Structures are given as C-alpha cells and as structure tokens.
Amino acid sequence: MQVLVTGGAGFIGSHIVDALVEAGHQVRVLDALLPAVHRVRPEVNDAAEFRAGDVTDRSAVEAALDGVDAVCHQAAMVGLGVDLDDLPLYATHNDLGTAVLLAAMARRGVGRLVLASSMVVYGEGGFRCATDGPVRPGARRRTDLDNGRFEPPCPRCGAPLRSTPVTEGAPLDPRNVYAATKVAQEHLAAAWAAACGGTAVALRYHNVYGPRMPRNTPYAGVASLFRSALERGEAPRVFEDGGQLRDFVHVHDVAAANLAALEHSPEPGRLVPVNVGSGQAHTVGEMAGALAGAFGGPLPRVTGQYRIGDVRHIVASSDRARALLGYQPATTFEAGMTAFARDPLRA
C-alpha cells in the first residue's frame, strides 16, 4: 500500500513512517517543517519519500496524493498554545489544512483516512458519583482553582467524584483552542466519509511520550516539558497538586495503532473514533517522580499553579481499540519512563 503521512517528520509521524516502512508499505511524507516544532531539519526514514509542503497548500497536497492508496493525517499544531494569539494558527494548520487535504482526497479518489485526533475532544474524562451515578462535570471555576480545590464536584449534588475510563461514546466537550480544532477535524473527516463513501478512523491519542519528542518548546506534551527541565538541571514543575490522572502511552504503541488502523477496513461512509492509550492510569506527579528518579533528579516541585483549559482526570478505555484493531500496548509505564529518561529529544 502507498501511504501518505502528513506531518511525517514530526514526533509521532516519524515513528509511524518507521512502522509503515518496516511493515513493507511504500511511504511518502508531506511536512511543512514548522519552526515551532523543527528548529533544525529532522531526519526522515531513508526508505520514505520526503516532500516539504504545507497541507494548506492545494498544489502541494495534490502532488503528494499522486498514486496514494491511503492517508495517515498527523500534520497539526499541538498543545495548549501560548495564548489566544495562537488561535488563527491552530485553525489554519489543523482545520483549514484538513479541509484542503480532504477535498483533494475526494478529487483524487483516495478513500482511506487515518486521522490523528486526541483525548482533548472529551474535555474531562469519565466520572461517577456515589449517589448520582455517571456524570459530566462542567468547567472548573477559577475561584476553586485559586483556592486549591482542583477536583470537580458532582454537578448535581456537589459530592466528590471517582474517575472512570472514558469511552468513545462520551459527549465531546472541548475546553481549549487545540481541543476545538481537533473536534472540527473529526467533524470534517466524518462529512468527507459520508459524502464520498470513504473509510475514516480517528485515533484519539492520550498522553504520548517517547524518543524524538521536541525539547524546550511550550507546544510539547508534559512528558517533554519535564524531561527538558531535567536536562537543564531544573526540577520538573508539576501544576495543581500533581494528582491529575492521565494515560501515558508510548509512541511505539501509537505507531502500532496507526498501522493497525490503516490495515483495518471499517464500515465505509462514517468516521470511527478509537481511543489509543496504555489502559493504565497514573498521576502527573507519579510520572514526574518516575522520570526524575530514572534521570537521577532533581526531584519534581509541586507548584499549585494551573492552566485554564486543562482538565483534571482523563484515562482511556481501550476496549474498542482491542476489539476493532487488535491493539495491545506493549510498553509498560515503568519501562517506558526508564527509557524516556535517556531517550534522545529533538532540538
């Protein structure tokens, strides 16, 4: 199969390229090499064809789709961003870029798409109240956060809640600009599939980490921020009280999920969302501690600070990924963090 990987020079995209090449597929990479991610030109698998170009550029996308059987769409701006001045860039690269790509795929008759989505589309994860059962808490209030009350209460009775794994059927509730653009990408892909009878799988990544993460950038994931701090000899700064639950999944497992999704044949004409996680919950504080311990210090510092748009707990249910794709994560939290403490990061 000839596969186009947009964003294939990036952190996750480059590992997907490697997995596809190893599986015997022909791979073409289209990457804009945005300076927010690539401060130096990255290396790309020698067996893949590389083309520098932006998914917002119709001519570049048209040329990149020549002879392609499937598209693995990874190109996007990620992270919460610096401030709202980033909003036009997120909308341009994530949503306009996806629209240009999908329109070109329809013209070229390319009917197979795997889309990089994210856990952020859910907002908060699953919660259960002892009295009211499954509930969806609203956005946390600044006054509560300012006073160190980080746990969202039951929206009905105000009682404490228990975190539960979030399933793909949960309502979408984006809490920040990046999340809003990922929801829009999914809706665009669903509309494309319905209109042209294409097959589309949206892989909702949870907290991905591993080799080739970019260092020292505000757009990177929390694992990269902590690792970058350790390399500078600084203590990782853990926001809130460090008790935020997340699902940390190794990039090799994410690449394997993409390979499985490309080889899977879902029902045409609709978008199928699939969580991609490790199936294990760990707190951000645990992750910082494990990484600092494997690196050799300094120990993390819990700051009590918060970011508007962050959520408290979100952990993946991996049931659909197992049933639909045969996905089974291979990297444990302990082994992954030990390796990540010494994995090479990108400039």
Side-chain angles (χ1 to χ4, degrees):
M1 184 161 49
Q2 173 86 28
V3 182
L4 172 65
V5 183
T6 69
F11 163 46
I12 296 174
S14 67
H15 286 281
I16 294 170
V17 170
D18 291 346
L20 287 168
V21 168
E22 187 175 346
H25 297 291
Q26 295 177 288
V27 183
R28 179 177 297 146
V29 172
L30 180 68
D31 200 299
L33 301 179
L34 296 178
V37 179
H38 303 288
R39 297 174 189 173
V40 297
R41 187 180 180 89
E43 294 183 5
V44 178
N45 193 302
D46 289 339
E49 176 192 352
F50 176 78
R51 297 188 182 187
D54 198 308
V55 288
T56 63
D57 182 343
R58 174 175 172 167
S59 61
V61 172
E62 288 273 8
L65 285 171
D66 188 35
V68 163
D69 302 303
V71 174
C72 188
H73 183 32
Q74 306 295 311
M77 282 188 66
V78 300
L80 286 185
V82 176
D83 53 40
L84 286 177
D85 282 340
D86 282 335
L87 200 159
L89 289 175
Y90 275 95
T92 297
H93 292 293
N94 297 3
D95 298 337
L96 175 60
T98 298
V100 171
L101 173 67
L102 293 172
M105 289 175 65
R107 287 192 299 271
R108 287 297 187 114
V110 180
R112 196 175 196 84
L113 172 72
V114 174
L115 170 68
S117 188
S118 171
M119 65 175 190
V120 297
V121 299
Y122 298 116
E124 290 283 358
F127 285 89
R128 187 174 188 86
C129 174
T131 302
D132 295 302
V135 294
R136 295 283 298 172
R140 296 182 294 173
R141 297 180 300 180
R142 282 183 182 270
T143 53
D144 288 336
L145 297 172
D146 287 338
N147 288 285
R149 295 190 293 269
F150 302 118
E151 294 288 346
C154 176
R156 298 174 188 166
C157 69
L161 298 175
R162 176 172 60 88
S163 173
T164 60
V166 66
T167 65
E168 291 84 355
L172 304 186
D173 185 17
R175 303 285 178 90
N176 55 61
V177 169
Y178 172 58
T181 64
K182 299 310 284 186
V183 170
Q185 281 186 306
E186 288 198 15
H187 287 329
L188 289 168
W192 165 84
C196 69
T199 63
V201 179
L203 298 180
R204 292 174 176 170
Y205 303 156
H206 284 247
N207 285 74
V208 188
Y209 71 96
R212 304 178 199 161
M213 286 193 88
R215 66 161 61 89
N216 296 329
T217 167
Y219 299 96
V222 66
S224 176
L225 297 177
F226 289 168
R227 170 63 193 282
S228 296
L230 289 166
E231 284 198 345
R232 296 192 302 268
E234 301 171 3
R237 296 173 65 250
V238 179
F239 280 14
E240 301 186 16
D241 59 0
Q244 310 94 301
L245 284 170
R246 295 291 187 270
D247 188 331
F248 298 101
V249 58
H250 197 275
V251 69
H252 291 164
D253 290 324
V254 172
N258 275 269
L259 180 62
L262 282 165
E263 295 175 344
H264 173 66
S265 295
E267 178 184 342
R270 69 187 187 97
L271 176 81
V272 180
V274 180
N275 285 332
V276 178
S278 70
Q280 295 183 331
H282 293 275
T283 68
V284 173
E286 281 183 277
M287 189 270 283
L291 192 56
F295 189 85
L299 295 177
R301 182 168 63 88
V302 177
T303 68
Q305 294 173 281
Y306 63 86
R307 296 187 300 179
I308 291 296
D310 267 346
V311 298
R312 181 60 177 175
H313 303 306
I314 183 162
V315 179
S317 166
S318 297
D319 292 348
R320 179 177 291 183
R322 282 193 298 268
L324 194 66
L325 306 179
Y327 169 74
Q328 186 64 46
T331 306
T332 65
F333 176 80
E334 294 75 16
M337 288 298 157
T338 298
F340 184 56
R342 298 299 172 189
D343 280 335
L345 302 182
R346 288 186 173 186

